[in-house]
Amino acid sequence: MTRELSYREWIARSLARALLADARQPGGTAPSALRARAAATLGADSPWLKPLAEALGNRSQATWQRTDLPALAKAIHDMPELDAAFEQNERPRVRRIILRPAQMLPRPMGLDHFALPDIPTLADLAQWLELDADRLAWLASPAQAFRASDAPGSRPASHYRYQLQPKRLGGLRLLEIPKADLKRAQRRILDELLRHVPVHEAAHGFVPGRSVASHAAAHAGKEVVIGFDLRDFFPAVRASRVHATWRTLGYPEGVARALTALCTHRTDAAIIERLRDDGGLDWMGAKRLAAPHLPQGSPCSPALANLCAFRLDLRLEGLAWVFGATYTRYADDLVFSGPASLRAQFGALRAWVDGIAADEGFELHPRKLRCMPRHRQQRVTGVVVNDKANAPREDFDRLRAVLHRCATRGPAAQNRAKLDDFRGHLLGRIAWIGQFNAARKARLMRLFERIDWTSAAQTPS
C-alpha cells in the first residue's frame, strides 16, 4: 500500500511538472494544451487524461500563476480523476520529464510594483551576489543547519563568530556575527532587496524614516501606556518563516532555500551550553538557538524580523482598535496606549496579546510587563511620554555633569578609552537628547564646546 501511494505521488509530480511547463504561455492552461503536455510525459493519450485536464483547465489564470510544483502535485494526487489511471490493467508510466524554465513567481497584490531583483536560478543568485557558484554553495551549504554534535566526525565550516555581552537585568546577550564573506552577501541582500519591501506601519525599529522617537511620540500624552516585551525576538524567528517570506516575494524554491540559508544560523552546541551554565538561558531559549533562526548580529536580521512579524503587527493593531488604543512596535518592544479605561482592561489586553504572540511563534517576557497611568512617569524605550516625547531629566542632568567636569578638569579625567571614542560617545548622547529637546541640546553643546581636547590629547593617560 505504501509503495502504491509513493508511485501515485511520482506520477502526480511528473504530471505537475509537465502542466506547469507552459502554463504562463497564451492558451497554456486550456484543457487541450494541458492534455497534450500530460500525454507527452506519459507517452500516450489515455482516455482518463481528458477529464483530468478539463478539471484543471477550470482553474482561474490567477490560480495558475500562483501555483507551484508541490501544490499542483498534491492537487493532482488528490483528484478523483486520477483514480482511473490506476484502474487499468497497465499502470501509467513516465516516458519523458518536461521541465519549465526557472522563473520568478507572482508577488502578492501591493508588492508587484516594487523594484525587487529577479533571481530565478541559483546561477543568477551567485551572479547577483558577485560570488562564483562554488563559493555560494559553500556559504549556503545544507551542512550549516547542523551543529557538530549532530553529525559526529563532520564539523561544518562556521561562518559566524560569537560575542557574549552582559544584559542590564542579568545574564548574557549572545551576538552571532557573520564573517566577512557572508556579511558582504547579507549586506547586499539588505541594501538591494529587503529595503525595497515595506513593513507594517506599526513597526518603528530598523525602518528608514522611523526611530525610537517616532515610536515614543505615538504614545505621548495618553492616559495609560502599556508595554510588553517579546522574549528572544530574533531567535524566535525560525528559518521556516524566513523561507516563507522569500517565497511570498516571488523567489523560486531553490533560490528561497539558498537565501534562507544565507540569512539564518544554528548556534554551536558549545555556545548554548555556555549560556545555560551562566543561568540566563532556559530550555525553550536553548531550543530556539539550536534550530536555524535569525542571528542577532546579522545585517539582514532586523529587516527580515520586521517582515516575518507583519502578521503579528496586523493582528495586534486590530486588537488595539478593539480596545480603543494605539499600537506600535520597536523590535521586541510592544506598546499600547489609550484612554483611562484601558487600565481596567489590562488583564484582558494582556491575555489577548499573549495568545496572539504565541500563535505567531513568539513569547512574552513575564518580567517586562508595564502598565503606566499618567500620574506616574510613562516611559517608552527609555523616552518619557507623559506630555510629549522627551529624554528623562536624570539623563540630561547626568550628561550635563559629565560635560561640566570635562570642561573644568579636562576630558582625561573622564576618559578610560581612546579620546576620540569618548568624544564621539559624548556627541552621540547629546544628539540623543537633542532630538527631543532643542533647548537642552543647545545647553549641552555650549558645555561641550568649552572642552579643551587639544591639551587633553597631549596629557599622558
Side-chain angles (χ1 to χ4, degrees):
M1 182 66 181
T2 302
R3 189 165 62 183
E4 184 71 23
L5 181 62
S6 177
Y7 188 79
R8 182 180 176 118
E9 289 175 346
W10 162 244
I11 294 296
R13 194 169 186 86
S14 300
L15 288 172
R17 286 194 180 98
L19 301 185
L20 287 173
D22 292 324
R24 295 194 186 180
Q25 300 299 322
T29 58
S32 58
L34 296 175
R35 183 177 179 181
R37 294 203 296 280
T41 287
L42 301 177
D45 187 6
S46 302
W48 59 269
L49 284 177
K50 181 178 180 181
L52 185 140
E54 289 177 347
L56 292 172
N58 289 330
R59 289 181 158 207
S60 68
Q61 195 61 36
T63 301
W64 274 104
Q65 288 180 347
R66 299 184 184 279
T67 298
D68 59 6
L69 177 62
L72 183 58
K74 184 179 186 308
I76 294 174
H77 177 274
D78 296 340
M79 291 176 67
E81 289 82 359
L82 188 62
D83 294 342
F86 296 90
E87 294 171 355
Q88 304 175 119
N89 294 331
E90 185 178 355
R91 296 191 304 179
R93 296 182 181 275
V94 177
R95 303 296 184 182
R96 183 183 303 166
I97 299 293
I98 302 177
L99 301 178
R100 66 175 178 179
Q103 54 191 347
M104 296 286 290
L105 300 175
R107 301 186 186 105
M109 185 181 301
L111 294 180
D112 47 4
H113 66 283
F114 287 99
L116 304 184
D118 288 343
I119 311 174
T121 68
L122 288 176
D124 294 322
L125 178 61
Q127 183 179 9
W128 182 71
L129 291 174
E130 299 179 354
L131 298 169
D132 58 53
D134 290 341
R135 196 68 171 176
L136 174 62
W138 180 66
L139 290 174
S141 169
Q144 300 304 319
F146 298 93
R147 295 173 294 163
S149 60
D150 297 325
S154 62
R155 184 182 182 91
S158 175
H159 299 309
Y160 286 82
R161 57 187 178 88
Y162 301 102
Q163 284 185 5
L164 297 176
Q165 297 180 347
K167 292 183 179 180
R168 183 171 57 88
L169 297 179
L172 295 173
R173 183 187 312 281
L174 172 64
L175 294 183
E176 300 171 297
I177 304 171
K179 295 179 181 178
D181 279 357
L182 182 58
K183 188 173 185 177
R184 192 178 303 113
Q186 291 176 347
R187 175 60 64 180
R188 188 175 184 87
I189 292 170
L190 171 65
D191 292 339
E192 300 190 23
L193 199 163
L194 292 173
R195 289 198 191 280
H196 296 290
V197 185
V199 301
H200 195 278
E201 292 182 357
H204 287 255
F206 321 110
V207 180
R210 306 177 205 171
S211 63
V212 168
S214 63
H215 173 56
H219 306 283
K222 300 296 180 67
E223 292 295 328
V224 177
V225 177
I226 297 175
F228 305 91
D229 268 38
L230 298 175
R231 172 177 274 176
D232 300 333
F233 180 55
F234 290 117
V237 181
R238 298 290 184 89
S240 57
R241 183 165 291 190
V242 176
H243 177 268
T245 299
W246 294 125
R247 295 288 284 157
T248 301
L249 295 178
Y251 292 98
E253 180 65 28
V255 174
R257 281 200 303 267
L259 287 170
T260 301
L262 290 172
C263 298
T264 59
H265 177 58
R266 190 176 183 184
T267 308
D268 190 273
I271 300 298
I272 295 177
E273 289 304 314
R274 170 68 181 86
L275 291 169
R276 296 201 71 177
D277 289 343
D278 183 67
L281 187 69
D282 59 10
W283 180 83
M284 278 302 300
K287 185 178 179 182
R288 293 187 189 100
L289 292 176
H293 60 273
L294 287 181
Q296 186 170 352
S298 162
C300 289
S301 291
L304 277 171
N306 277 337
L307 292 176
C308 292
F310 183 89
R311 200 169 76 158
L312 172 73
D313 291 330
L314 192 68
R315 296 177 68 181
L316 291 182
E317 185 185 49
L319 179 68
W321 181 83
V322 171
F323 279 83
T326 299
Y327 162 74
T328 62
R329 176 179 62 82
Y330 190 94
D332 58 353
D333 184 52
L334 316 176
V335 180
F336 294 79
S337 62
S341 59
L342 194 62
R343 187 179 183 185
Q345 298 174 302
F346 173 67
L349 179 65
R350 174 182 175 178
W352 275 103
V353 173
D354 190 27
I356 292 173
D359 196 39
E360 294 297 324
F362 297 99
E363 179 187 358
L364 293 185
H365 199 299
R367 292 189 297 164
K368 296 184 178 180
L369 306 177
R370 310 171 300 281
C371 182
M372 299 167 283
R374 194 164 186 178
H375 65 267
R376 293 170 43 196
Q377 189 181 73
Q378 299 169 325
R379 287 199 184 195
V380 173
T381 53
V383 181
V384 178
V385 296
N386 288 71
D387 296 314
K388 63 178 183 178
N390 203 354
R393 177 72 193 203
E394 55 267 31
D395 289 359
F396 169 74
D397 291 340
R398 191 179 301 114
L399 179 56
R400 184 179 59 177
V402 171
L403 292 170
H404 178 75
R405 283 195 297 269
C406 288
T408 56
R409 304 179 188 176
Q414 301 294 328
N415 182 20
R416 300 193 180 192
K418 294 181 180 179
L419 195 62
D420 288 343
D421 290 344
F422 182 60
R423 187 174 185 274
H425 169 72
L426 292 179
L427 287 173
R429 291 183 62 184
I430 293 172
W432 162 257
I433 293 175
Q435 68 180 319
F436 305 107
N437 191 312
R440 285 183 176 179
K441 180 180 181 180
R443 292 173 63 186
L444 294 172
M445 283 303 300
R446 284 195 293 270
L447 285 170
F448 180 85
E449 290 165 359
R450 288 171 49 195
I451 301 174
D452 187 357
W453 298 98
T454 305
S455 60
Q458 298 172 353
T459 303
S461 59

